[in-house]
Amino acid sequence: MASEKRSESEDRWYLEPDAAGIDIGAEEIYVAVPPDRDEQSTRRFSSFTCDLHALADWLVQCRIHSGFSICTR
C-alpha cells in the first residue's frame, strides 16, 4: 500500500489553519495566507504606515487570526 506524503509546509495549514506566514524585512514585508483565502495568497507590503494598515485589513479580510515570522539572515 502506498502512503500519501505531504510536505511539512502543507501540514502547517492543518495545524494552524487561520495563520499567516510573515517575513519582515527592513523595507518590505512578505505575507502568505492559506491558498483558499485569497486569489493572490502571497503579497508584498512596504514598511510605511499606510501599507501596514493595508496589510492588517487584508489579514482581516482573509480571516487570519495569528501569524508566524521566520527569521533569516
Side-chain angles (χ1 to χ4, degrees):
M1 239 184 216
S3 64
E4 185 178 327
K5 271 184 110 172
R6 291 194 315 237
S7 72
E8 186 177 321
S9 62
E10 288 176 322
D11 287 339
R12 288 181 195 248
W13 297 120
Y14 297 104
L15 294 174
E16 198 63 50
D18 295 327
I22 305 171
D23 183 6
I24 302 171
E27 296 179 9
E28 296 178 326
I29 301 168
Y30 289 86
V31 183
V33 298
D36 65 333
R37 303 298 175 96
D38 194 84
E39 231 175 73
Q40 183 183 359
S41 62
T42 302
R43 292 192 181 183
R44 179 182 55 87
F45 297 88
S46 76
S47 57
F48 293 108
T49 303
C50 61
D51 294 308
L52 296 177
H53 286 290
L55 186 160
D57 291 342
W58 182 60
L59 292 176
V60 168
Q61 174 188 328
C62 293
R63 302 176 319 276
I64 299 300
H65 300 286
S66 61
F68 63 92
S69 179
I70 300 172
C71 298
T72 58
R73 291 183 183 188

